Amino acid sequence: MEGGAMRGLFTAGVIDVFMEQGIEFDGGIGVSAGATFGSNYKSKQPGRVLRYNLKYCRDSRYGTVRSWLKSGDLFETKFCYYDLPYELDKVDSEAFDANPMEFYVVGTDVTTGKAVYRKLDKIDDTAMDWFRASASMPMVSKIVEVEGLKLLDGGISDSVPVKYFESIGYDRNVVILTQPKGYQKTENKLLPLMKLSLRGYPKVLEAMKNRHLVYNETSIYIEEQEKAGNLLVIRPKEKLPIGRMSHDPKELQQVYDLGREAGLAYAEKVKRFLER
């Protein structure tokens, strides 16, 4: 499951339909919003992603400049990764822990610039740190230190980790993208500012400089494997009508609904694909 901040509501719509229709997977892997939103598949909570996004999208602690200036994180850590999942809209930790579905998240090691993949078997504070790391965008998030690593957004190094999933034995994969077919990423125009905010971490800066090349190479691979019938790819038909950050409930609902439309259109195809 690709990231993309609030474009991830598209993914939420897709997977909610799949859960409602009883489609089960042996494993899942998500990056950034694909990890935080996608984890609800393992906890078997359709509707949760939309619910808390609509309720808290205008909270000053949720993806705002005010939160960034006050806490150093666009998404305030305590609110987003402790108050929200543990108290305000609880993640079903018992269901997550009991579900045999393997769930992986992707972070980027700022010292090496390489992707780090972590399987999460249970919901606890360490898992929350990994979710936070996977979604911690450079410049607007602090580096997350967890299990001896210093991490930022997994999308820096591996935006769509299908090759990794194949490498560990998953040979029949459904890929959910948040960009339309033919999308090509371009070089990040904020690199000069990132050099200031991440001075001392040349490897992650190199990864960010090359991110568009890696992303576009992966996109070509996905399309080739899709044509060969080895992957089933679900993507929006056109550019989603939302930016990375949105505090408009109508936009969030619209993108979620587009995801549901795609989920309904692909549900039977997914069932047949998995049965092959």
PDB file of all heavy atoms in Angstrom, residues 128-155:
ATOM      1  N   MET A 128       3.806   1.657  17.575  1.00  0.00           N
ATOM      2  CA  MET A 128       3.411   3.033  17.287  1.00  0.00           C
ATOM      3  C   MET A 128       4.603   3.860  16.819  1.00  0.00           C
ATOM      4  O   MET A 128       4.477   4.714  15.933  1.00  0.00           O
ATOM      5  CB  MET A 128       2.769   3.668  18.527  1.00  0.00           C
ATOM      6  CG  MET A 128       1.402   3.111  18.862  1.00  0.00           C
ATOM      7  SD  MET A 128       0.244   3.314  17.483  1.00  0.00           S
ATOM      8  CE  MET A 128      -1.021   2.132  17.958  1.00  0.00           C
ATOM      9  N   ASP A 129       5.770   3.614  17.394  1.00  0.00           N
ATOM     10  CA  ASP A 129       6.965   4.328  16.946  1.00  0.00           C
ATOM     11  C   ASP A 129       7.315   3.965  15.508  1.00  0.00           C
ATOM     12  O   ASP A 129       7.774   4.815  14.732  1.00  0.00           O
ATOM     13  CB  ASP A 129       8.138   4.016  17.867  1.00  0.00           C
ATOM     14  CG  ASP A 129       8.054   4.744  19.199  1.00  0.00           C
ATOM     15  OD1 ASP A 129       7.279   5.721  19.292  1.00  0.00           O
ATOM     16  OD2 ASP A 129       8.753   4.344  20.153  1.00  0.00           O
ATOM     17  N   TRP A 130       7.112   2.703  15.139  1.00  0.00           N
ATOM     18  CA  TRP A 130       7.382   2.297  13.754  1.00  0.00           C
ATOM     19  C   TRP A 130       6.379   2.924  12.790  1.00  0.00           C
ATOM     20  O   TRP A 130       6.752   3.368  11.693  1.00  0.00           O
ATOM     21  CB  TRP A 130       7.385   0.780  13.634  1.00  0.00           C
ATOM     22  CG  TRP A 130       8.708   0.185  13.988  1.00  0.00           C
ATOM     23  CD1 TRP A 130       9.093  -0.354  15.178  1.00  0.00           C
ATOM     24  CD2 TRP A 130       9.858   0.100  13.131  1.00  0.00           C
ATOM     25  NE1 TRP A 130      10.399  -0.775  15.132  1.00  0.00           N
ATOM     26  CE2 TRP A 130      10.898  -0.504  13.883  1.00  0.00           C
ATOM     27  CE3 TRP A 130      10.106   0.472  11.814  1.00  0.00           C
ATOM     28  CZ2 TRP A 130      12.164  -0.745  13.341  1.00  0.00           C
ATOM     29  CZ3 TRP A 130      11.370   0.236  11.278  1.00  0.00           C
ATOM     30  CH2 TRP A 130      12.367  -0.359  12.040  1.00  0.00           C
ATOM     31  N   PHE A 131       5.111   2.971  13.170  1.00  0.00           N
ATOM     32  CA  PHE A 131       4.123   3.645  12.328  1.00  0.00           C
ATOM     33  C   PHE A 131       4.492   5.115  12.165  1.00  0.00           C
ATOM     34  O   PHE A 131       4.432   5.673  11.058  1.00  0.00           O
ATOM     35  CB  PHE A 131       2.715   3.537  12.948  1.00  0.00           C
ATOM     36  CG  PHE A 131       2.090   2.177  12.846  1.00  0.00           C
ATOM     37  CD1 PHE A 131       1.572   1.551  13.974  1.00  0.00           C
ATOM     38  CD2 PHE A 131       2.001   1.523  11.630  1.00  0.00           C
ATOM     39  CE1 PHE A 131       0.984   0.295  13.887  1.00  0.00           C
ATOM     40  CE2 PHE A 131       1.416   0.265  11.524  1.00  0.00           C
ATOM     41  CZ  PHE A 131       0.898  -0.349  12.664  1.00  0.00           C
ATOM     42  N   ARG A 132       4.872   5.738  13.269  1.00  0.00           N
ATOM     43  CA  ARG A 132       5.249   7.155  13.228  1.00  0.00           C
ATOM     44  C   ARG A 132       6.470   7.369  12.346  1.00  0.00           C
ATOM     45  O   ARG A 132       6.511   8.311  11.538  1.00  0.00           O
ATOM     46  CB  ARG A 132       5.528   7.640  14.660  1.00  0.00           C
ATOM     47  CG  ARG A 132       5.934   9.097  14.776  1.00  0.00           C
ATOM     48  CD  ARG A 132       5.784   9.580  16.201  1.00  0.00           C
ATOM     49  NE  ARG A 132       6.642   8.876  17.138  1.00  0.00           N
ATOM     50  CZ  ARG A 132       7.824   9.334  17.562  1.00  0.00           C
ATOM     51  NH1 ARG A 132       8.305  10.481  17.080  1.00  0.00           N
ATOM     52  NH2 ARG A 132       8.529   8.651  18.431  1.00  0.00           N
ATOM     53  N   ALA A 133       7.458   6.480  12.476  1.00  0.00           N
ATOM     54  CA  ALA A 133       8.660   6.604  11.653  1.00  0.00           C
ATOM     55  C   ALA A 133       8.316   6.492  10.174  1.00  0.00           C
ATOM     56  O   ALA A 133       8.796   7.282   9.346  1.00  0.00           O
ATOM     57  CB  ALA A 133       9.664   5.519  12.041  1.00  0.00           C
ATOM     58  N   SER A 134       7.491   5.522   9.828  1.00  0.00           N
ATOM     59  CA  SER A 134       7.151   5.303   8.424  1.00  0.00           C
ATOM     60  C   SER A 134       6.469   6.513   7.804  1.00  0.00           C
ATOM     61  O   SER A 134       6.598   6.759   6.609  1.00  0.00           O
ATOM     62  CB  SER A 134       6.236   4.080   8.306  1.00  0.00           C
ATOM     63  OG  SER A 134       5.986   3.767   6.944  1.00  0.00           O
ATOM     64  N   ALA A 135       5.762   7.290   8.643  1.00  0.00           N
ATOM     65  CA  ALA A 135       4.998   8.431   8.142  1.00  0.00           C
ATOM     66  C   ALA A 135       5.634   9.784   8.458  1.00  0.00           C
ATOM     67  O   ALA A 135       4.999  10.818   8.247  1.00  0.00           O
ATOM     68  CB  ALA A 135       3.586   8.380   8.731  1.00  0.00           C
ATOM     69  N   SER A 136       6.875   9.781   8.940  1.00  0.00           N
ATOM     70  CA  SER A 136       7.524  11.037   9.339  1.00  0.00           C
ATOM     71  C   SER A 136       8.215  11.691   8.156  1.00  0.00           C
ATOM     72  O   SER A 136       9.351  11.358   7.807  1.00  0.00           O
ATOM     73  CB  SER A 136       8.526  10.786  10.477  1.00  0.00           C
ATOM     74  OG  SER A 136       7.851  10.523  11.680  1.00  0.00           O
ATOM     75  N   MET A 137       7.513  12.629   7.539  1.00  0.00           N
ATOM     76  CA  MET A 137       8.036  13.307   6.361  1.00  0.00           C
ATOM     77  C   MET A 137       9.198  14.222   6.724  1.00  0.00           C
ATOM     78  O   MET A 137       9.140  14.919   7.746  1.00  0.00           O
ATOM     79  CB  MET A 137       6.920  14.118   5.695  1.00  0.00           C
ATOM     80  CG  MET A 137       5.782  13.266   5.162  1.00  0.00           C
ATOM     81  SD  MET A 137       4.428  14.242   4.463  1.00  0.00           S
ATOM     82  CE  MET A 137       3.656  14.873   5.955  1.00  0.00           C
ATOM     83  N   PRO A 138      10.246  14.231   5.911  1.00  0.00           N
ATOM     84  CA  PRO A 138      11.398  15.088   6.210  1.00  0.00           C
ATOM     85  C   PRO A 138      11.018  16.561   6.240  1.00  0.00           C
ATOM     86  O   PRO A 138      10.089  16.986   5.585  1.00  0.00           O
ATOM     87  CB  PRO A 138      12.375  14.779   5.068  1.00  0.00           C
ATOM     88  CG  PRO A 138      11.559  14.142   4.004  1.00  0.00           C
ATOM     89  CD  PRO A 138      10.434  13.450   4.676  1.00  0.00           C
ATOM     90  N   MET A 139      11.730  17.304   7.029  1.00  0.00           N
ATOM     91  CA  MET A 139      11.573  18.744   7.256  1.00  0.00           C
ATOM     92  C   MET A 139      10.431  19.083   8.204  1.00  0.00           C
ATOM     93  O   MET A 139      10.532  20.017   8.980  1.00  0.00           O
ATOM     94  CB  MET A 139      11.388  19.539   5.941  1.00  0.00           C
ATOM     95  CG  MET A 139      12.648  19.654   5.128  1.00  0.00           C
ATOM     96  SD  MET A 139      12.657  21.106   4.048  1.00  0.00           S
ATOM     97  CE  MET A 139      11.043  21.050   3.316  1.00  0.00           C
ATOM     98  N   VAL A 140       9.325  18.334   8.126  1.00  0.00           N
ATOM     99  CA  VAL A 140       8.183  18.658   8.982  1.00  0.00           C
ATOM    100  C   VAL A 140       7.991  17.621  10.085  1.00  0.00           C
ATOM    101  O   VAL A 140       6.965  17.610  10.765  1.00  0.00           O
ATOM    102  CB  VAL A 140       6.884  18.801   8.149  1.00  0.00           C
ATOM    103  CG1 VAL A 140       6.962  20.016   7.256  1.00  0.00           C
ATOM    104  CG2 VAL A 140       6.602  17.540   7.353  1.00  0.00           C
ATOM    105  N   SER A 141       8.976  16.749  10.246  1.00  0.00           N
ATOM    106  CA  SER A 141       8.921  15.738  11.302  1.00  0.00           C
ATOM    107  C   SER A 141      10.300  15.557  11.905  1.00  0.00           C
ATOM    108  O   SER A 141      11.318  15.685  11.212  1.00  0.00           O
ATOM    109  CB  SER A 141       8.450  14.388  10.744  1.00  0.00           C
ATOM    110  OG  SER A 141       7.244  14.504  10.041  1.00  0.00           O
ATOM    111  N   LYS A 142      10.313  15.234  13.168  1.00  0.00           N
ATOM    112  CA  LYS A 142      11.579  14.902  13.813  1.00  0.00           C
ATOM    113  C   LYS A 142      11.975  13.472  13.475  1.00  0.00           C
ATOM    114  O   LYS A 142      11.122  12.625  13.213  1.00  0.00           O
ATOM    115  CB  LYS A 142      11.438  15.057  15.337  1.00  0.00           C
ATOM    116  CG  LYS A 142      11.250  16.496  15.795  1.00  0.00           C
ATOM    117  CD  LYS A 142      11.151  16.605  17.300  1.00  0.00           C
ATOM    118  CE  LYS A 142       9.836  16.090  17.828  1.00  0.00           C
ATOM    119  NZ  LYS A 142       9.640  16.376  19.270  1.00  0.00           N
ATOM    120  N   ILE A 143      13.276  13.211  13.461  1.00  0.00           N
ATOM    121  CA  ILE A 143      13.767  11.849  13.270  1.00  0.00           C
ATOM    122  C   ILE A 143      13.258  10.985  14.418  1.00  0.00           C
ATOM    123  O   ILE A 143      13.294  11.392  15.581  1.00  0.00           O
ATOM    124  CB  ILE A 143      15.305  11.838  13.195  1.00  0.00           C
ATOM    125  CG1 ILE A 143      15.774  12.524  11.911  1.00  0.00           C
ATOM    126  CG2 ILE A 143      15.852  10.420  13.276  1.00  0.00           C
ATOM    127  CD1 ILE A 143      17.279  12.762  11.854  1.00  0.00           C
ATOM    128  N   VAL A 144      12.770   9.804  14.073  1.00  0.00           N
ATOM    129  CA  VAL A 144      12.240   8.885  15.075  1.00  0.00           C
ATOM    130  C   VAL A 144      13.303   7.857  15.432  1.00  0.00           C
ATOM    131  O   VAL A 144      13.847   7.183  14.554  1.00  0.00           O
ATOM    132  CB  VAL A 144      10.974   8.162  14.554  1.00  0.00           C
ATOM    133  CG1 VAL A 144      10.450   7.168  15.595  1.00  0.00           C
ATOM    134  CG2 VAL A 144       9.900   9.180  14.189  1.00  0.00           C
ATOM    135  N   GLU A 145      13.596   7.751  16.712  1.00  0.00           N
ATOM    136  CA  GLU A 145      14.569   6.760  17.182  1.00  0.00           C
ATOM    137  C   GLU A 145      13.818   5.581  17.787  1.00  0.00           C
ATOM    138  O   GLU A 145      13.072   5.735  18.756  1.00  0.00           O
ATOM    139  CB  GLU A 145      15.518   7.377  18.204  1.00  0.00           C
ATOM    140  CG  GLU A 145      16.366   8.501  17.600  1.00  0.00           C
ATOM    141  CD  GLU A 145      17.485   8.955  18.512  1.00  0.00           C
ATOM    142  OE1 GLU A 145      17.982   8.118  19.293  1.00  0.00           O
ATOM    143  OE2 GLU A 145      17.868  10.146  18.437  1.00  0.00           O
ATOM    144  N   VAL A 146      13.995   4.402  17.189  1.00  0.00           N
ATOM    145  CA  VAL A 146      13.304   3.204  17.658  1.00  0.00           C
ATOM    146  C   VAL A 146      14.186   1.987  17.415  1.00  0.00           C
ATOM    147  O   VAL A 146      14.775   1.850  16.341  1.00  0.00           O
ATOM    148  CB  VAL A 146      11.923   3.051  16.969  1.00  0.00           C
ATOM    149  CG1 VAL A 146      12.034   3.061  15.459  1.00  0.00           C
ATOM    150  CG2 VAL A 146      11.214   1.793  17.447  1.00  0.00           C
ATOM    151  N   GLU A 147      14.317   1.155  18.404  1.00  0.00           N
ATOM    152  CA  GLU A 147      15.093  -0.076  18.338  1.00  0.00           C
ATOM    153  C   GLU A 147      16.505   0.142  17.785  1.00  0.00           C
ATOM    154  O   GLU A 147      17.006  -0.613  16.965  1.00  0.00           O
ATOM    155  CB  GLU A 147      14.335  -1.126  17.513  1.00  0.00           C
ATOM    156  CG  GLU A 147      13.004  -1.518  18.155  1.00  0.00           C
ATOM    157  CD  GLU A 147      12.308  -2.671  17.478  1.00  0.00           C
ATOM    158  OE1 GLU A 147      12.257  -2.683  16.226  1.00  0.00           O
ATOM    159  OE2 GLU A 147      11.815  -3.564  18.174  1.00  0.00           O
ATOM    160  N   GLY A 148      17.118   1.224  18.228  1.00  0.00           N
ATOM    161  CA  GLY A 148      18.498   1.514  17.855  1.00  0.00           C
ATOM    162  C   GLY A 148      18.684   2.144  16.496  1.00  0.00           C
ATOM    163  O   GLY A 148      19.821   2.337  16.051  1.00  0.00           O
ATOM    164  N   LEU A 149      17.588   2.478  15.842  1.00  0.00           N
ATOM    165  CA  LEU A 149      17.652   3.070  14.507  1.00  0.00           C
ATOM    166  C   LEU A 149      17.145   4.508  14.532  1.00  0.00           C
ATOM    167  O   LEU A 149      16.347   4.885  15.386  1.00  0.00           O
ATOM    168  CB  LEU A 149      16.807   2.257  13.523  1.00  0.00           C
ATOM    169  CG  LEU A 149      17.223   0.808  13.295  1.00  0.00           C
ATOM    170  CD1 LEU A 149      16.148   0.075  12.507  1.00  0.00           C
ATOM    171  CD2 LEU A 149      18.563   0.734  12.567  1.00  0.00           C
ATOM    172  N   LYS A 150      17.622   5.298  13.568  1.00  0.00           N
ATOM    173  CA  LYS A 150      17.110   6.648  13.365  1.00  0.00           C
ATOM    174  C   LYS A 150      16.385   6.654  12.025  1.00  0.00           C
ATOM    175  O   LYS A 150      17.006   6.404  10.976  1.00  0.00           O
ATOM    176  CB  LYS A 150      18.258   7.660  13.354  1.00  0.00           C
ATOM    177  CG  LYS A 150      18.960   7.795  14.697  1.00  0.00           C
ATOM    178  CD  LYS A 150      20.057   8.867  14.625  1.00  0.00           C
ATOM    179  CE  LYS A 150      20.705   9.074  15.987  1.00  0.00           C
ATOM    180  NZ  LYS A 150      21.747  10.133  15.935  1.00  0.00           N
ATOM    181  N   LEU A 151      15.085   6.944  12.061  1.00  0.00           N
ATOM    182  CA  LEU A 151      14.254   6.710  10.888  1.00  0.00           C
ATOM    183  C   LEU A 151      13.421   7.918  10.492  1.00  0.00           C
ATOM    184  O   LEU A 151      13.051   8.751  11.318  1.00  0.00           O
ATOM    185  CB  LEU A 151      13.299   5.536  11.160  1.00  0.00           C
ATOM    186  CG  LEU A 151      13.924   4.203  11.574  1.00  0.00           C
ATOM    187  CD1 LEU A 151      12.836   3.241  12.027  1.00  0.00           C
ATOM    188  CD2 LEU A 151      14.722   3.603  10.424  1.00  0.00           C
ATOM    189  N   LEU A 152      13.119   7.962   9.195  1.00  0.00           N
ATOM    190  CA  LEU A 152      12.133   8.879   8.631  1.00  0.00           C
ATOM    191  C   LEU A 152      11.255   8.104   7.651  1.00  0.00           C
ATOM    192  O   LEU A 152      11.375   6.889   7.499  1.00  0.00           O
ATOM    193  CB  LEU A 152      12.826  10.065   7.942  1.00  0.00           C
ATOM    194  CG  LEU A 152      13.349  11.197   8.839  1.00  0.00           C
ATOM    195  CD1 LEU A 152      14.099  12.232   8.004  1.00  0.00           C
ATOM    196  CD2 LEU A 152      12.199  11.879   9.602  1.00  0.00           C
ATOM    197  N   ASP A 153      10.410   8.829   6.977  1.00  0.00           N
ATOM    198  CA  ASP A 153       9.420   8.320   6.022  1.00  0.00           C
ATOM    199  C   ASP A 153       9.962   7.199   5.131  1.00  0.00           C
ATOM    200  O   ASP A 153      10.967   7.360   4.435  1.00  0.00           O
ATOM    201  CB  ASP A 153       8.971   9.496   5.145  1.00  0.00           C
ATOM    202  CG  ASP A 153       7.772   9.194   4.280  1.00  0.00           C
ATOM    203  OD1 ASP A 153       7.460   8.017   4.069  1.00  0.00           O
ATOM    204  OD2 ASP A 153       7.151  10.161   3.806  1.00  0.00           O
ATOM    205  N   GLY A 154       9.262   6.064   5.135  1.00  0.00           N
ATOM    206  CA  GLY A 154       9.674   4.945   4.289  1.00  0.00           C
ATOM    207  C   GLY A 154       9.613   5.247   2.814  1.00  0.00           C
ATOM    208  O   GLY A 154      10.316   4.624   2.012  1.00  0.00           O
ATOM    209  N   GLY A 155       8.783   6.231   2.431  1.00  0.00           N
ATOM    210  CA  GLY A 155       8.666   6.578   1.018  1.00  0.00           C
ATOM    211  C   GLY A 155       9.928   7.175   0.429  1.00  0.00           C
ATOM    212  O   GLY A 155      10.094   7.195  -0.797  1.00  0.00           O
TER     213      GLY A 155
END
